[in-house]
Amino acid sequence: MILPRRQFLRFAAAGAGAILVSPHMAFASVPGDRRFVFIIQRGAADGLNIIVPYGDPDYAGLRRELAIDPATAIKLDGHFALNPAMPEAGKMYAAGQALFVHATASPYRDRSHFDGQNVLETGGTVPYAQRDGWMNRLVGLMPRSKDEAIAFAATVPPALRGAADVTSFAPSNLPQPTDDLLARVGRMYQGDPQLHGMWDAALSARGMAAGEGSGQKPEDLGKLAASFLVKPDGPRIAMLETGGWDTHTGQQYRLTAQLKALDTMIGALRDNLGPVWNQTVVLVATEFGRTAAVNGTGGTDHGTASAAMLFGGAVKGGRVIADWPGLAQANLYEDRDLKPTIGLDAVIAGATAESFGIDPQRVGKALFPTADFGRPTEGLVRA
């Protein structure tokens, strides 16, 4: 839905490669039934061709050969359609389990991937001003439990770095060790007060992932994430990293491949969570969007606003939220980009606060201490 400005006041306004390359997951363990998953799209995903504003009269002219044909897209309402490469997301939207927020952006405006991702993950207003990540600060708002966080990756993503304890678990394609070898190593560490505890924690993480794939394919990633999240004593907060969204050239094929992989991963997460899916919120966001117009190499360049996506049985879905700025030349940000009208910080703060039943203002101040977006976005998640 496109919100008139008088209604939009309840929403916070923003200020003036290869398929899933190097995907990782990071998990945090907190009490409660709700699960919250953050998927970052590294490389600046093109929101205009993911949630397609086919009802905007200037869209097709700007995108020319890249324009998505509304006849092939998944209609969401009278103005927006979903890229046809995401059929599972379309099913979730029809079931009221997907919600899209368009023309959204973090406070960052200078179009550098590294700086933009730092602002998005740390919750600052300028790059490298915050030393920890907003997800780590979110864990700090929860009652303490046995494991505050675990990074299912070779390194912990910046969004989860901070004061909360973090361990790591990375999937491997190497042959699995035998039970005899594990027993021998366990006996060797038994008398060591430090290594014994670390060994037990490693075996526990290994056991949670037992029987799952290597985590290299999109469906394996979704299934592996679900194998952790579905456990009654498992993590409640998760992060997945996807790369390859920087589509300067050959965007039509590359973006389609990226979206198919993302759609498959989220579908596998849903299918393997079972009833837990009804308690889950998945937020998908990128560091910034791409130019409104196609470039000379069949792609788009670094832009500003993009689209965020929320999935899950706990989402108040079946809607597109947008204070649509329009794509006419006079309405573009710096004469080239989709103008941001909804703060991504406010969306994240609202979704996390409603997911875990925490006061939204408290969450906003903790996760984005230097931001000035008013109130977090409301009404994203079911009570």
Side-chain angles (χ1 to χ4, degrees):
M1 59 181 176
I2 302 177
L3 301 178
R5 290 216 172 251
R6 62 182 181 274
Q7 289 180 264
F8 188 72
L9 292 177
R10 61 191 290 258
F11 295 97
I19 300 175
L20 295 173
V21 175
S22 299
H24 304 296
M25 282 173 285
F27 298 98
S29 178
V30 295
D33 294 329
R34 283 290 172 87
R35 275 74 164 170
F36 180 83
V37 182
F38 174 48
I39 302 177
I40 186 170
Q41 298 166 294
R42 298 195 186 278
D46 181 22
L48 286 172
N49 270 21
I50 298 175
I51 310 301
V52 183
Y54 72 91
D56 190 302
D58 294 291
Y59 167 75
L62 285 167
R63 283 303 169 99
R64 302 196 309 271
E65 70 270 23
L66 291 187
I68 303 295
D69 184 353
T72 66
I74 302 167
K75 294 288 181 62
L76 302 174
D77 57 26
H79 191 86
F80 296 104
L82 179 64
N83 191 294
M86 302 190 74
E88 294 303 318
K91 293 176 186 175
M92 295 179 214
Y93 184 88
Q97 297 181 353
L99 180 152
F100 306 114
V101 183
H102 220 319
T104 183
S106 80
Y108 180 72
R109 295 290 178 270
D110 291 332
R111 305 185 183 95
S112 162
H113 291 304
F114 297 109
D115 290 352
Q117 289 172 28
N118 180 268
V119 171
L120 172 57
E121 293 188 78
T122 63
T125 53
V126 295
Y128 310 104
Q130 300 290 329
R131 294 189 176 183
D132 55 357
W134 65 262
M135 294 188 77
N136 194 283
R137 295 195 290 275
L138 175 63
V139 175
L141 297 177
M142 308 290 182
R144 295 187 63 84
S145 58
K146 62 183 180 67
D147 290 316
E148 292 305 314
I150 179 171
F152 198 53
T155 60
V156 179
L160 259 177
R161 295 176 190 168
D165 295 334
V166 175
T167 57
S168 62
F169 179 88
S172 173
N173 289 322
L174 295 174
Q176 291 294 313
T178 65
D179 291 341
D180 179 65
L181 175 60
L182 294 175
R184 289 173 182 268
V185 175
R187 288 195 295 270
M188 183 174 66
Y189 289 161
Q190 191 167 10
D192 189 308
Q194 183 176 11
L195 293 178
H196 179 66
M198 294 172 64
W199 179 251
D200 285 348
L203 287 182
S204 176
R206 177 179 180 270
M208 292 181 73
E212 305 302 331
S214 67
Q216 300 306 304
K217 296 180 180 180
E219 58 268 30
D220 288 342
L221 281 170
K223 187 177 181 182
L224 185 57
S227 74
F228 277 74
L229 292 164
V230 77
K231 304 286 185 181
D233 58 347
R236 294 295 182 268
I237 295 176
M239 180 173 174
L240 290 82
E241 297 181 290
T242 67
W245 299 94
D246 196 15
T247 52
H248 288 283
T249 62
Q251 175 171 307
Q252 191 167 37
Y253 170 80
R254 293 173 60 196
L255 184 63
T256 295
Q258 290 290 115
L259 293 175
K260 285 182 177 178
L262 178 65
D263 193 61
T264 297
M265 183 173 66
I266 296 173
L269 178 65
R270 173 202 60 198
D271 294 344
N272 287 276
L273 279 177
V276 174
W277 177 252
N278 293 327
Q279 297 295 327
T280 299
V281 174
V282 180
L283 171 66
V284 183
T286 191
E287 67 262 32
F288 47 76
R290 308 197 70 82
T291 49
V294 63
N295 62 24
T297 57
T300 51
D301 299 320
H302 297 179
T304 307
S306 188
M309 300 180 278
L310 289 95
F311 302 98
V315 172
K316 287 184 177 179
R319 299 177 291 153
V320 179
I321 295 174
D323 180 20
W324 190 244
L327 294 174
Q329 189 64 37
N331 296 330
L332 297 180
Y333 178 75
E334 296 186 347
D335 296 321
R336 51 171 278 165
D337 302 336
L338 176 64
K339 184 184 298 182
T341 56
I342 302 179
L344 186 53
D345 291 355
V347 174
I348 294 172
T352 52
E354 292 180 335
S355 291
F356 295 110
I358 308 173
D359 177 68
Q361 294 286 57
R362 182 186 174 204
V363 172
K365 290 178 181 178
L367 272 56
F368 306 101
T370 60
D372 183 20
F373 53 69
R375 289 189 57 82
T377 306
E378 300 172 350
L380 303 176
V381 178
R382 303 182 192 280

